[in-house]
Amino acid sequence: AQNKPRLLLKITAIFTLLGTLAVIAFITAIYLGEFGQLPTNAELRNIQNNSAAEIYTADSVLIGTYFIDNRINAEFAEISPNIINALVATEDARFFEHRGVDLRAALRVVFRSILMNDESSGGGSTLSQQLAKNLFGRQNFSILTLPVNKIKEMIVAWRLEEVYGKEELLNLYLNTVPFSENVYGVKVAAQRFFNVPPQDVTVEQAAVLVGMLKATSTYNPLRRPKKSLERRNVVLGQMVKY
């Protein structure tokens, strides 16, 4: 009878070790490309977004655009600090502190968003992980789809942080992210929803735009103004907090 606790402890230790080794092997297989090749640092340095071709009159008036993705890239200096503040406060409050993956935020989501149903707690993926997802999409691996894609996004996020500075990542994110109505990037979004350039976006407008990222159709301010207002207020609350 005295040996039973020891036996149980040994069995637990063995299963814990085997489980740890299985996780390490799984992550290693993803890193080595067994679930699809990951972009190299060199490839990440040469990211190109599809941009709209702009047509101007002789006196510099925009009269039309042609595009695959309705996107016009903005320089970081063109983006209002209000947009940056709203984005970081809502999506990744520790963005300037981590190197692509924030384990503290992931644990917060498990306990607050899932167990306590706290909508204001934010998401578990960092901005760099979200950028990886937006740039390269996700693949289907049956029952392994979620863990494989999450780990791939973590690895790509680490590599993005090696290649780019924080301002460069914010700029790339805001030029890449999709909004509603076939709108890509904050420059076209600011024009589409508020008829202003991104540098002139107010705090309230920035909160609306960032709020849309949670669900672009649900929080579209033109189609669902009440839902958009509710989400805007959540974002403003995050901005006050952080």
Side-chain angles (χ1 to χ4, degrees):
Q2 294 178 348
N3 292 330
K4 285 185 178 180
R6 291 183 179 180
L7 179 61
L8 181 61
L9 184 61
K10 287 182 179 179
I11 293 173
T12 302
I14 290 171
F15 275 99
T16 300
L17 177 60
L18 291 175
T20 301
L21 291 174
V23 170
I24 292 172
F26 181 56
I27 294 173
T28 301
I30 295 172
Y31 182 84
L32 294 176
E34 295 299 322
F35 291 87
Q37 289 298 315
L38 295 167
T40 64
N41 285 15
E43 291 170 333
L44 292 174
R45 288 190 187 96
N46 293 292
I47 293 171
Q48 298 290 330
N49 281 327
N50 290 325
S51 299
E54 300 176 274
I55 311 301
Y56 289 88
T57 63
D59 54 349
S60 301
V61 176
L62 179 65
I63 59 173
T65 56
Y66 295 91
F67 53 82
I68 297 174
D69 294 336
N70 188 11
R71 175 192 290 111
I72 300 172
N73 289 320
E75 299 295 331
F76 188 78
E78 295 181 77
I79 300 173
S80 169
N82 295 327
I83 298 174
I84 302 298
N85 292 336
L87 178 67
V88 172
T90 306
E91 296 293 328
D92 189 356
R94 285 168 38 82
F95 174 71
F96 292 101
E97 301 172 38
H98 63 68
R99 297 303 301 170
V101 177
D102 188 356
L103 296 179
R104 185 192 300 182
L107 291 174
R108 180 199 66 219
V109 169
V110 171
F111 288 101
R112 294 185 62 184
S113 294
I114 297 176
L115 299 180
M116 299 174 62
N117 195 29
D118 182 357
E119 183 182 1
S120 69
S121 64
S125 294
T126 65
L127 287 174
S128 300
Q129 288 172 254
Q130 293 179 39
L131 176 58
K133 177 183 174 182
N134 290 336
L135 287 171
F136 302 105
R138 287 182 168 179
Q139 296 174 281
N140 188 344
F141 299 100
S142 189
I143 61 171
L144 296 176
T145 293
L146 184 59
V148 169
N149 282 302
K150 281 289 188 181
I151 292 170
K152 290 176 76 172
E153 288 161 13
M154 287 180 181
I155 296 170
V156 174
W158 279 319
R159 292 181 180 177
L160 283 166
E161 297 259 357
E162 290 179 348
V163 172
Y164 295 102
K166 290 294 187 177
E167 287 189 0
E168 292 175 310
L169 287 170
L170 288 169
N171 191 53
L172 187 56
Y173 180 98
L174 286 167
N175 282 326
T176 302
V177 69
F179 290 85
S180 190
E181 301 181 13
N182 193 33
V183 168
Y184 291 83
V186 71
K187 188 168 186 175
V188 177
Q191 187 66 42
R192 171 70 183 92
F193 297 108
F194 297 110
N195 197 32
V196 295
Q199 60 264 40
D200 293 339
V201 168
T202 66
V203 172
E204 293 85 357
Q205 292 168 344
V208 171
L209 292 174
V210 169
M212 290 178 67
L213 302 181
K214 183 178 177 68
T216 56
S217 296
T218 300
Y219 300 114
N220 183 321
L222 303 180
R223 297 182 179 180
R224 306 191 71 178
K226 184 178 179 180
K227 295 293 290 185
S228 176
L229 179 64
E230 292 172 357
R231 180 62 184 165
R232 184 208 70 172
N233 291 342
V234 171
V235 174
L236 290 174
Q238 290 297 98
M239 295 177 75
V240 170
K241 180 178 179 180
Y242 292 109

